[in-house]
Amino acid sequence: MADFTKKAIKESFIKLLNEKPISKISVKDIVTDCKVNRNTFYYHFQDIPALIEEIVTEQAEELIEAYPEIESLEKGIEVATEFAIKNKMVVFHIYNSANRDLYEQYTMRLCKHVVTKYLEVAFKDVEVSDEDKELAVRLISCSLFGFVYDWLDSGMSEDRPADIKRLCEVCRGIPDIIIERSRN
Amino acid sequence: MADFTKKAIKESFIKLLNEKPISKISVKDIVTDCKVNRNTFYYHFQDIPALIEEIVTEQAEELIEAYPEIESLEKGIEVATEFAIKNKMVVFHIYNSANRDLYEQYTMRLCKHVVTKYLEVAFKDVEVSDEDKELAVRLISCSLFGFVYDWLDSGMSEDRPADIKRLCEVCRGIPDIIIERSRN
DNA sequence: AAATCGGTGTTCGAATTTCGGACACCGACT
DNA sequence: AGTCGGTGTCCGAAATTCGAACACCGATTT
C-alpha cells in the first residue's frame, strides 16, 4: 500500500510551515488541513518531532538518490547546500518560518542528519573510524548550519555562489584533518 | 475521510493519459502506477468509463466554481474554451493522446458534459424549455469540440485568441436563436 | 485560587478501506 | 486448440481510519 494519508499529513505540515512558525503548528492544525481524524495522525506518527524526523530522513534520501556519485566532500557539501537552499529542504522551511526563536536547535539537528547521510556516501571508500566520522559530521554540519544562518540573517543576499565557495574552502580542509587524526 | 487513494487513482490515470492513448490504458496500468491493489480500483470505481465520468464531473465543477458569475454565454464559452485548453481538462488530454482513433465520441461526450454544466449557470435567469437547453448544449458543445479539433489538427498554432473570438462570434448567435425558438 | 480552555497523547471498539487469492469470462494471438 | 493478458466479481483477512472517551498539562480568565 502506498500510504496516501501519511503522505498527505506530511504535505499538510510542509504547507503549514509556510504559513506560520513551527511552534504554532498543532496536530489539530495538521489534521484539519488534510481532513483526517486526529487519531490517524497518531496512528502514523509518534508526535510532531517524529513527523519532522521522517520528512527530513526522506528528503535526505531523495538528496542522495539525486546525486548518487559524490566524488569529493567539497562536491557533497556544495550539492547539499544548494539543495538545502533551493529545494524544499525542511531545514530551511523550519528555520525561515520559526521567527528566529528557539528552533535553531532543530535546524542544527537536521543539518546533522543530512550531513550524516551524505558522509555515508562521501566516506564510503575512505577508511576512518566511527569517531572520526562523527567528528566530520559535527564540523561540517556546523558549517552548513552557520552558512544557512548567515545567509538568512543577511536578508538572503544573492551572492550565494561566492558564499558556497567560501564554505567549501573551509570544509575542504576537514578530510585532511580527519585523515591526519586517523594516523595517530 | 478524504479519499487519498481514490484521488491517487485519478491522478495516475491522468498521468498515463499523457503517456499513451486512452485505449491502451488498462486497470492494471493504473493500479501499478499508483501502487494499489487492483481490487481497490474496483472498490472505488465501476470501471474505467466511470472513472473518466467522475474526473470530468469534478473538473467541470471546479470550472464553475472558478468562475461563479458567467454574465454572458460568450463569456462562458470563452472561459470554458480557455480552461479546456490551458488547464488540465480531460477532454483535451483524451483527445490529444488518443491518436485520433475512435475516441472522438468520448471527446464529444465530455464537451457536452462541460457545456451542460456551464449552461446551468449561463441560463439560470433565462426562461427556456428543457428541449431548448438541450439544443443549446448540442450546438455549443459541437462548436467547442470542433474548435479543439481544429486547433489540435493545425498543430496547436498560437493564434488561439483569434480562434476563440471567432468561435464566440458563432456562438453568440445561439441564444438569440434559442429565444426566438422559445417564442413559437 | 479556582475554573475554563485548548492542546496533547492514549485507549477502546466499530466501521471502512485495502489487500491477496481465487474464479469465470472474453478476445487476440500462436 | 491452447495460451495469454485483461476484465469484473467474489471472499475473508488484514490494515487503516474513525469517533468517543479519558487524564494530563499550561496558559488565561474569573
Side-chain angles (χ1 to χ4, degrees):
Chain A
M1 89 218 72
D3 264 331
F4 298 111
T5 300
K6 201 172 183 184
K7 196 175 155 209
I9 290 172
K10 290 180 204 160
E11 285 170 356
S12 280
F13 180 73
I14 291 173
K15 178 183 159 205
L16 289 170
L17 228 28
N18 288 317
E19 295 170 9
K20 55 168 89 179
I22 193 172
S23 54
K24 298 262 173 63
I25 299 177
S26 67
V27 173
K28 194 159 205 214
D29 289 336
I30 299 168
V31 300
T32 301
D33 183 83
C34 66
K35 290 190 269 290
V36 299
N37 192 281
R38 206 165 61 87
N39 279 348
T40 304
F41 175 91
Y42 288 108
Y43 177 80
H44 288 290
F45 304 100
Q46 174 93 9
D47 48 23
I48 287 184
L51 163 64
I52 294 172
E53 190 74 33
E54 187 165 320
I55 291 175
V56 173
T57 305
E58 222 174 67
Q59 300 207 350
E61 264 149 24
E62 240 177 68
L63 173 61
I64 287 170
E65 192 129 357
Y67 298 92
E69 73 295 323
I70 302 295
E71 66 281 352
S72 71
L73 226 159
E74 184 183 6
K75 175 72 181 165
I77 291 169
E78 188 181 326
V79 167
T81 316
E82 270 293 322
F83 186 90
I85 292 165
K86 288 171 69 178
N87 289 338
K88 54 218 148 128
M89 191 52 207
V90 187
V91 176
F92 171 71
H93 280 293
I94 287 177
Y95 182 76
N96 192 36
S97 56
N99 282 342
R100 315 280 155 113
D101 60 0
L102 77 165
Y103 285 93
E104 274 104 15
Q105 318 148 2
Y106 248 137
T107 316
M108 192 62 238
R109 231 182 91 215
L110 299 179
C111 281
K112 216 169 155 182
H113 193 109
V114 172
V115 172
T116 303
K117 280 294 192 175
Y118 240 89
L119 288 184
E120 278 174 17
V121 178
F123 271 173
K124 72 170 187 292
D125 296 325
V126 187
E127 278 187 36
V128 283
S129 67
D130 285 350
E131 286 159 13
D132 286 341
K133 278 181 184 170
E134 180 61 35
L135 180 65
V137 166
R138 204 172 319 139
L139 284 169
I140 296 165
S141 58
C142 282
S143 303
L144 179 54
F145 172 68
F147 172 75
V148 177
Y149 189 97
D150 276 353
W151 180 65
L152 288 166
D153 219 50
S154 67
M156 298 179 243
S157 67
E158 273 313 305
D159 52 358
R160 248 175 302 153
D163 286 348
I164 291 172
K165 205 165 173 217
R166 212 155 5 103
L167 178 66
C168 287
E169 270 163 27
V170 174
C171 291
R172 192 188 299 146
I174 295 176
D176 289 339
I177 297 167
I178 301 297
I179 291 166
E180 177 80 24
R181 200 171 168 282
S182 274
R183 290 221 187 81
N184 307 342
Chain B
M1 91 218 69
D3 264 334
F4 297 111
T5 300
K6 200 172 180 182
K7 198 175 153 209
I9 290 172
K10 289 179 204 161
E11 285 169 357
S12 280
F13 179 72
I14 291 173
K15 180 182 158 205
L16 289 170
L17 230 26
N18 288 316
E19 296 170 8
K20 55 169 89 176
I22 194 172
S23 54
K24 298 263 173 62
I25 298 177
S26 67
V27 173
K28 194 157 206 216
D29 289 337
I30 298 169
V31 300
T32 301
D33 184 82
C34 66
K35 291 189 269 290
V36 300
N37 192 281
R38 206 165 62 89
N39 280 345
T40 304
F41 176 91
Y42 287 108
Y43 177 80
H44 289 289
F45 304 99
Q46 174 91 9
D47 48 23
I48 287 184
L51 164 64
I52 294 172
E53 190 73 34
E54 187 165 320
I55 292 174
V56 173
T57 304
E58 222 174 68
Q59 300 208 349
E61 263 149 26
E62 238 177 70
L63 173 61
I64 286 171
E65 191 131 356
Y67 298 92
E69 74 295 323
I70 301 296
E71 67 280 350
S72 70
L73 226 158
E74 183 182 7
K75 175 74 182 166
I77 291 168
E78 188 180 327
V79 167
T81 315
E82 270 293 320
F83 187 90
I85 292 165
K86 287 172 69 178
N87 289 337
K88 52 220 149 125
M89 191 51 207
V90 188
V91 177
F92 170 71
H93 280 292
I94 287 176
Y95 182 74
N96 191 35
S97 57
N99 281 344
R100 317 278 156 113
D101 59 1
L102 77 164
Y103 284 93
E104 272 106 15
Q105 319 147 5
Y106 246 137
T107 315
M108 193 62 238
R109 230 182 92 216
L110 300 178
C111 281
K112 218 168 155 182
H113 192 108
V114 172
V115 172
T116 303
K117 280 292 192 177
Y118 240 88
L119 288 185
E120 278 173 19
V121 178
F123 271 172
K124 72 171 186 292
D125 296 323
V126 187
E127 278 186 37
V128 285
S129 67
D130 284 350
E131 286 159 13
D132 287 341
K133 279 182 183 168
E134 180 61 35
L135 180 65
V137 166
R138 203 171 321 139
L139 285 169
I140 297 166
S141 58
C142 283
S143 302
L144 180 53
F145 173 69
F147 171 76
V148 177
Y149 190 97
D150 276 353
W151 181 63
L152 288 167
D153 218 51
S154 66
M156 299 179 241
S157 67
E158 271 315 303
D159 52 357
R160 246 176 303 153
D163 286 348
I164 291 172
K165 205 163 173 221
R166 214 156 1 105
L167 177 66
C168 287
E169 271 162 27
V170 173
C171 292
R172 193 190 297 144
I174 295 176
D176 290 338
I177 296 167
I178 300 298
I179 291 166
E180 175 82 24
R181 199 170 168 284
S182 274
R183 291 219 186 86
N184 308 342

